[in-house]
Amino acid sequence: MTIRLTLVSAPGGDAAVDPLLGDAPLGERSARMAGAVGAALPLHELAVRAPSIRCAQTADALGLVAAVEPALRDLDLGTWCGRTVDEVAAADPDGFSAWLTDPDAAPHDGESVRRLCRRTAGWLDSVTPDMGHVVAITEAAVVRAALIHALAVPARAFWHLAVPPLSPVSLTWRGSHWDVRLGHATGAQSRRRVLAPSATLVSGGSDQFAAAHLGGRNRSSSFRETAFVGCR
């Protein structure tokens, strides 16, 4: 029994690297990048997307006719939605710190990281082999949550997984475990594979993908400076 999924994160909306929290339309540059990536997507039988504006526009730019899947929606940021990261950190430093370190924290009265991980795991468990190869255009947070489930790592590792926009993440269910392969977007700026410092990238035989083995070490690092490798 084999299940094949390709997850693609829409540009924007990643709390790890973007200053504004919440949904927003794609910029012209992001739309052009998505258009260049579309031709490199694998053959598939089904395309789905998160309900956000950016995911709808990303799917269109990729040339996909994608059904809306509510389970792929972004992390609910509650009262923080529409604010900048700096504003939130200044107004509620304790809450912001807890959000980055405790997967059960929800200081914004929205959704905790652990709840997002459980929601995403539930969607992954609902995908069946008869659906064929599924391509999902979703949010960076949802891709992180999928990796948490597929690699069976603790939810506290969530913020240590950097997810570059438009770079495919391939998940293959082999009947007892998920295999994970990380790819990169095509184009002039796409040759940088992006991972957190807690990850080791092992190059494979394909130019398109590389196998990732993610470490589980606890790291004391600044959210904005060293917990992530930026993709800009």
Side-chain angles (χ1 to χ4, degrees):
M1 181 181 68
T2 302
I3 297 172
R4 292 184 175 85
L5 297 169
T6 298
L7 306 177
V8 179
S9 172
D14 186 352
V17 295
D18 294 329
L20 185 65
L21 301 173
D23 192 14
L26 295 187
E28 291 184 9
R29 178 171 172 271
S30 294
R32 288 196 303 270
M33 290 175 62
V37 169
L41 286 177
L43 295 176
H44 56 278
E45 286 72 37
L46 176 65
V48 295
R49 66 168 177 84
S52 65
I53 294 172
R54 61 173 162 264
C55 284
Q57 293 181 339
T58 299
D60 289 344
L62 290 169
L64 300 177
V65 178
V68 177
E69 174 49 69
L72 296 176
R73 67 189 181 276
D74 201 6
L75 177 69
D76 180 1
L77 295 173
T79 58
W80 291 358
C81 190
R83 302 172 66 183
T84 68
V85 170
D86 289 342
E87 287 173 349
V88 170
D92 185 10
D94 291 339
F96 188 69
S97 177
W99 183 55
L100 299 178
T101 56
D102 179 3
D104 293 305
H108 40 56
D109 295 324
E111 187 176 29
S112 70
V113 164
R114 193 180 305 278
R115 288 179 65 88
L116 169 66
C117 290
R118 288 173 178 166
R119 163 160 60 86
T120 304
W123 179 77
L124 288 172
D125 291 343
S126 74
V127 179
T128 57
D130 62 283
M131 296 168 70
H133 194 147
V134 179
V135 170
I137 311 304
T138 186
E139 314 285 352
V142 174
V143 177
R144 285 193 185 94
L147 288 171
I148 291 289
H149 180 67
L151 296 168
V153 296
R156 66 176 179 273
F158 181 87
W159 290 115
H160 294 277
L161 302 173
V163 177
L166 299 173
S167 295
V169 174
S170 176
L171 302 182
T172 304
W173 176 254
R174 301 293 186 184
S176 61
H177 65 279
W178 288 101
D179 285 343
V180 178
R181 294 179 71 82
L182 306 182
H184 59 80
T186 58
Q189 299 184 4
S190 66
R191 295 298 175 181
R192 288 179 290 177
R193 294 186 178 93
V194 184
L195 288 175
S198 57
T200 301
L201 193 65
V202 182
S203 296
S206 166
D207 180 62
Q208 183 81 12
F209 295 100
H213 300 274
L214 305 185
R217 297 180 183 177
N218 290 325
R219 292 177 180 265
S220 175
S221 56
S222 166
F223 171 68
R224 300 287 286 179
E225 296 177 0
T226 60
F228 301 90
V229 180
C231 58
R232 295 178 177 179

